[in-house]
Amino acid sequence: MFESHLLSLITLAPAVAAIGLGLIPGRYERLVRWLAFGISLGIFFTSLLMWMVFDPSMGGMQMVEKADWIPQFGIEFHLGVDGISLLLVLLTTLLVPVVIAASWTSVRDKVKAFHICLLLLTTGMVGAFLALDVFLFYVFWEFILIPMYFIIGVWGGARRIYAAVKFFIFTMAGSVLMLVAILYTARVHFETTGIWSFDYFVWLETASQIPMGGVWSPQMLVFIAFALAFAIKVPMFPFHTWLPDAHVEAPTGGSIILAGVLLKLGTYGFLRFNRALFPEAWEKAVPVIMVLAVIGIVYGAFVALVQPDIKKLVAYSSVSHLGFVMLGLAAGTISSTQGAILQMVNHGLATGALFLLIGILYERRGTLLIADYGGIATVVPVLTGFFLLVTLASIGLPGLNGFVGEFLILAGSWPVAPAAVVGAGLGVVLGAVTMLWMVQRVFWNPLSHEENRGLRDMNFREVATVLPLVLFIVWIGVFPMTFLAPMEAAVRLLLE
Amino acid sequence: MLFVPSSSDFLAILPEIILTVSAAALLLFSISARPFKRYVGEITLFIIVVAGWARLTFPLPGKVWGGTIQIDAVSSFVDLYILAAVFVCVWSAGPFLRRAEYEHTEFYSLLLLATVGAMVMASAVDALPLFLGLELLSLPLYALTAFLKRTSISLEAGLKYFVVGAFASAFVVYGLALLYGATGTTNLVAMGHAVRAMDGLNPLLALGLAGVVGGFAFKLALFPFHSWAPDVWQGSPTPVTAFLSVVPKGAVLIALFRLVDGMDLLILSSRWLIVGSILAIGSQFLGNFAAIVQRDIKRMLAYSGIAHMGYAMVAVIVAGLDGGTGVLVYMSAYTLMNIGAFAVVAFFSIDEGEAHLISDLQAQGWHRPIPALALTICLFSLAGIPPLFGFTAKFMVFGAAVNGGFVWLAVIGVVNSLVSAFCYLRVVYVMYMKPESSIATEFSPSFTLTAAAALTAVGVFVIGLYPTPILTAARVAALNLVR
């Protein structure tokens, strides 16, 4: 009973808990924090249980749950996990308690509402990764907008309204056309079979029956509508402009979730829907995706280089890192795809940790300008140590997680698109320069600002918050097979 | 042949009879029994519940009254959402009228009469009861619009609505007369048969259709017949605006659908598609873009209402079973979320003569969490964000458009949803995110209004999560609605 409903438990428990939290009077802030933390930790352990139950030798969906939802249209509450979504769900449920812990002192206003939003967001994210009914996926995907809009808009920085609205409108702009594409595909299925279905597995057959031809053929247009929604979320160049704004203005917790999970929804969507449903159209689009991915890698790194603001710098480096993921997906070999999926997780961990540490810095000093720091390594040695480690992970130092992902992507893409790999290689170097230069200017150099002399180092809570992320960063770096093994069968199945 | 009504004819329209008799009785009693006045709101609510119960309990015999009225699944579906809307209107009218010092029984009496008009109109399959219903719906509303007789914008709204409304009614009746001339029958079904047998449009038919469609478009506030709506919505007493925003539209759109589908206008003339899509697309663009710049929330909702009628028109254009289901689901969703939004607007108002500025809602999200959350849910639902009822409705309408081969109408519709999200987000922003440098305006709390708003918001949410029963009911009703 418990195991057979494991996925819906992980998906729906946060939302139910959020409604429960709503009933507690808002003045019991500590209670709300501890409850939310306990719930999210419980959900994380439940998803660890899912990992235990998961059979890595199988490529198909496991722990599948199916129930009628809107029978008139064959819409089902249909969840399942395979090696691809497994890691992403784990990443999500890991990051939520981290975010709650990270917001312990930085979110002081409207504590209850913040945690409600966060738990609702969890349901949306996990649901989107697990949904096997395209309608259900769309519902989760769109629903995410509401709590994230509030998180950025209420607890964000000075230009938070602009950033929140931009985030909402950009994402919705992509997804409304996806809705039409979903309706169209469902109609094609209805016309050929006489029954309504939004089932992902059924659609694997249906989608290829949509007339295919040039760019303006129906299948290509449906493909583009899906791709646009995901490309905005990733974000791929040139749809990335919302990201720096959203990242900079979001509170620490929001940035962690945004970088850690939301962006992965885009790359996951590309793999799960564009790649799997429309293989023919995908083949045609690969060159475009590759070019945009490489542009994103190089452009993101260059723009990051000149940012005066730490958060913005990391945001642009995200554009660059997500370009690697897209390159790996576009190359489409087994190892490049595995690398791309692993890199999604890596980026979530490393960038999540970076935003967490930046948040700690911001909480103490109230500024994110690189110029306001310098030489604080001697003042805050623990923070410096963690920051350096995470930065090195992010730029791909061997022995840490980023290296494994980037190596697999580049090695896997080489036989398919050597030119793109060369371009991406340039991005690796640039990215390293950008990040290390930033670390140098913030932590080393002479201590130029007197007010930095009194900075407090990380306390126990903060260390405990960042430790789980560091643990996974090292684990993936040293022993990636733990994470690559379960996805191999699924990737093989998806690509063939 | 003289028509002699039987007892089943009377039984079929029992809810209408209950409402009409009660409306008259309320007037009489209020003159004689003073203490009774205090409970008139509660009594009206009870009457509405009884009418709804009667509609649900008694059989739906189909054509009655010599085939002029058809009481079937459509009637029960439409009547129920109309009665639900009126219930919330009356419920929220109590505290509103008390605050504005306009506690007159006539208010409830007129509201009930207008309700009967809407119900008759939705069930009419003959031009005469159709027009009768339209007038019975409109006349009490002219008076209700101007109900706040000491407030100039209410009087202005009443006059404007009366002039424009009478004009529109004239168009409708003239159009119906021409249609009668063209087809030789007043029965809508027979009219449809006759028109489908024709070989394209003839001038008489075209003029008749133009009159009826134009008149209905006035009542629905569709572009380019929309210009009265913002002023009237803004000036009317808020519960009346709530009524005005949903009930006439819910009835008129059904009548329009019957006409369009019965005559199969898409087949009849290629020009209908052009006319229909100008009405639909024009309303969407105008409504959504104009809503963005409004400062008064009632005006904002008026423009958004114009846009929503534009979405619903898409389903009317598509017609057929899918279109019919779409219209019914859309109107029920629109009714629920708009009524909820207006209950909150009534909550957040001090003086009816003043504008209901969106900026007055500043920080209410934290100050008055329940009404603000209810408004937020209704607005997100209006924007069509899942898993709310508004999304289900858009899914049905745009799904019908795609199935009917009108992918472009669906694309324009979703692009407009995006634009509309912008103006709804602005209200949410004001309530939750605007810097709280100044203190939130103090509105006197009202349990009734809070409860009404919360209930509709919960409804919007629950139906959105589990739309199956309402989709089934709409499907069954649509089978009766289409020819």
Side-chain angles (χ1 to χ4, degrees), chain B residues 126-464:
Chain B
D126 190 283
L128 291 178
L130 179 71
F131 185 68
L132 197 70
L134 181 66
E135 285 303 274
L136 186 55
L137 168 64
S138 304
L139 287 173
L141 272 180
Y142 301 143
L144 282 171
T145 310
F147 202 75
L148 304 179
K149 60 183 179 195
R150 296 188 291 273
T151 311
S152 62
I153 58 167
S154 178
L155 293 176
E156 184 194 329
L159 190 65
K160 212 169 240 171
Y161 190 39
F162 176 64
V163 172
V164 176
F167 207 50
S169 294
F171 268 110
V172 172
V173 76
Y174 188 49
L176 287 174
L178 291 176
L179 286 181
Y180 173 67
T183 60
T185 172
T186 56
N187 187 291
L188 296 184
V189 181
M191 222 182 242
H193 274 296
V195 170
R196 288 206 305 279
M198 286 179 195
D199 181 29
L201 277 176
N202 65 44
L204 199 58
L205 185 63
L207 207 58
L209 276 174
V212 176
V213 172
F216 281 175
F218 258 115
K219 294 284 176 189
L220 292 169
L222 283 167
F223 171 86
F225 306 103
H226 63 276
S227 54
W228 59 273
D231 289 344
V232 173
W233 286 38
Q234 183 188 15
S236 307
T238 306
V240 175
T241 313
F243 185 92
L244 195 65
S245 72
V246 293
V247 175
K249 301 187 175 185
V252 171
L253 205 69
I254 301 300
L256 180 63
F257 185 88
R258 251 188 239 278
L259 200 74
V260 170
D261 186 74
M263 297 185 177
D264 214 346
L265 287 188
L266 273 180
I267 307 284
L268 182 72
S269 163
S270 57
R271 269 177 255 166
W272 161 242
L273 184 59
I274 301 170
V275 171
S277 35
I278 287 174
L279 292 175
I281 297 170
S283 305
Q284 291 173 21
F285 274 106
L286 178 117
N288 285 323
F289 278 101
I292 290 176
V293 296
Q294 299 306 317
R295 296 172 60 225
D296 185 306
I297 189 161
K298 283 165 92 174
R299 283 186 86 86
M300 194 277 269
L301 285 171
Y303 279 109
S304 107
I306 293 170
H308 279 275
M309 286 309 104
Y311 303 130
M313 264 311 280
V314 171
V316 174
I317 294 171
V318 175
L321 195 54
D322 282 339
T325 318
V327 166
L328 289 168
V329 174
Y330 205 91
M331 289 322 293
S332 55
Y334 172 73
T335 300
L336 199 61
M337 47 207 188
N338 234 29
I339 284 285
F342 273 108
V344 181
V345 172
F347 184 99
F348 290 133
S349 90
I350 301 172
D351 181 1
E352 272 305 295
E354 301 286 317
H356 292 67
L357 292 181
I358 294 175
S359 55
D360 285 345
L361 299 179
Q362 178 160 325
Q364 295 297 343
W366 311 108
H367 195 62
R368 298 255 178 245
I370 294 175
L373 186 64
L375 182 59
T376 306
I377 290 176
C378 289
L379 291 179
F380 276 126
S381 178
L382 284 166
I385 308 283
L388 302 169
F389 194 11
F391 169 70
T392 317
K394 285 211 168 105
F395 175 76
M396 294 298 294
V397 167
F398 298 146
V402 170
N403 286 334
F406 298 101
V407 178
W408 55 279
L409 276 177
V411 169
I412 291 171
V414 294
V415 168
N416 267 288
S417 301
L418 178 67
V419 179
S420 76
F422 195 77
C423 68
Y424 301 128
L425 280 185
R426 194 162 58 103
V427 179
V428 176
Y429 145 70
V430 170
M431 285 196 299
Y432 288 95
M433 301 168 191
K434 212 169 173 193
E436 291 166 88
S437 50
S438 61
I439 299 153
T441 318
E442 195 60 54
F443 295 105
S444 57
S446 156
F447 174 76
T448 317
L449 287 173
T450 310
L455 198 72
T456 44
V458 168
V460 166
F461 184 64
V462 170
I463 299 177

Side-chain angles (χ1 to χ4, degrees), chain A residues 88-124:
Chain A
L88 294 167
V89 170
L90 280 170
L91 173 70
T92 308
T93 54
L94 168 69
L95 284 179
V96 174
V98 166
V99 164
I100 293 176
S103 312
W104 210 265
T105 50
S106 59
V107 171
R108 288 194 205 87
D109 284 357
K110 295 137 191 166
V111 174
K112 184 173 93 169
F114 179 80
H115 290 93
I116 289 176
C117 284
L118 202 57
L119 288 173
L120 289 177
L121 193 58
T122 313
T123 288

Side-chain angles (χ1 to χ4, degrees), chain A residues 144-375:
Chain A
I144 288 171
L145 291 184
I146 301 178
M148 201 61 210
Y149 170 68
F150 278 99
I151 287 180
I152 300 176
V154 176
W155 295 275
R159 284 170 67 245
R160 60 184 192 277
I161 308 303
Y162 172 75
V165 172
K166 197 169 176 182
F167 162 79
F168 197 104
I169 297 293
F170 263 63
T171 320
M172 194 171 166
S175 47
V176 289
L177 289 177
M178 181 165 77
L179 178 63
V180 179
I182 290 173
L183 288 169
Y184 185 83
T185 313
R187 174 202 169 205
V188 169
H189 179 74
F190 180 73
E191 279 179 349
T192 46
T193 63
I195 48 168
W196 287 103
S197 177
F198 288 79
D199 190 311
Y200 175 73
F201 296 116
V202 174
W203 277 31
L204 284 175
E205 309 291 320
T206 309
S208 52
Q209 288 167 9
I210 304 174
M212 177 67 192
V215 180
W216 301 109
S217 64
Q219 190 179 145
M220 225 35 216
L221 289 178
V222 169
F223 177 87
I224 290 171
F226 272 96
L228 187 67
F230 299 137
I232 290 175
K233 201 80 160 192
V234 169
M236 283 177 80
F237 178 87
F239 306 109
H240 63 278
T241 58
W242 65 270
L243 183 73
D245 286 310
H247 264 329
V248 172
E249 299 306 327
T252 302
S255 297
I256 297 173
I257 289 286
L258 202 56
V261 187
L262 289 198
L263 308 188
K264 309 308 169 316
L265 275 170
T267 46
Y268 172 80
F270 265 110
L271 185 61
R272 179 72 82 207
F273 295 98
N274 282 88
R275 174 73 179 78
L277 291 181
F278 313 99
E280 250 184 284
W282 175 266
E283 283 306 316
K284 289 200 172 188
V286 158
V288 179
I289 296 175
M290 271 197 184
V291 168
L292 290 181
V294 173
I295 293 178
I297 293 173
V298 177
Y299 171 86
F302 264 119
V303 178
L305 195 60
V306 297
Q307 294 304 318
D309 180 299
I310 309 176
K311 243 182 165 179
K312 217 163 191 167
L313 187 145
V314 177
Y316 276 109
S317 82
S318 285
V319 175
S320 177
H321 284 141
L322 268 296
F324 279 104
V325 177
M326 286 313 298
L327 176 65
L329 294 181
T333 62
I334 302 264
S335 57
S336 77
T337 310
Q338 276 192 309
I341 297 165
L342 191 67
Q343 192 64 4
M344 291 184 209
V345 179
N346 291 340
H347 177 261
L349 292 170
T351 311
L354 272 180
F355 277 123
L356 177 60
L357 295 167
I358 292 169
I360 290 171
L361 211 52
Y362 180 76
E363 222 182 304
R364 284 159 173 57
R365 186 66 169 74
T367 170
L368 286 173
L369 290 180
I370 296 173
D372 286 339
Y373 294 98

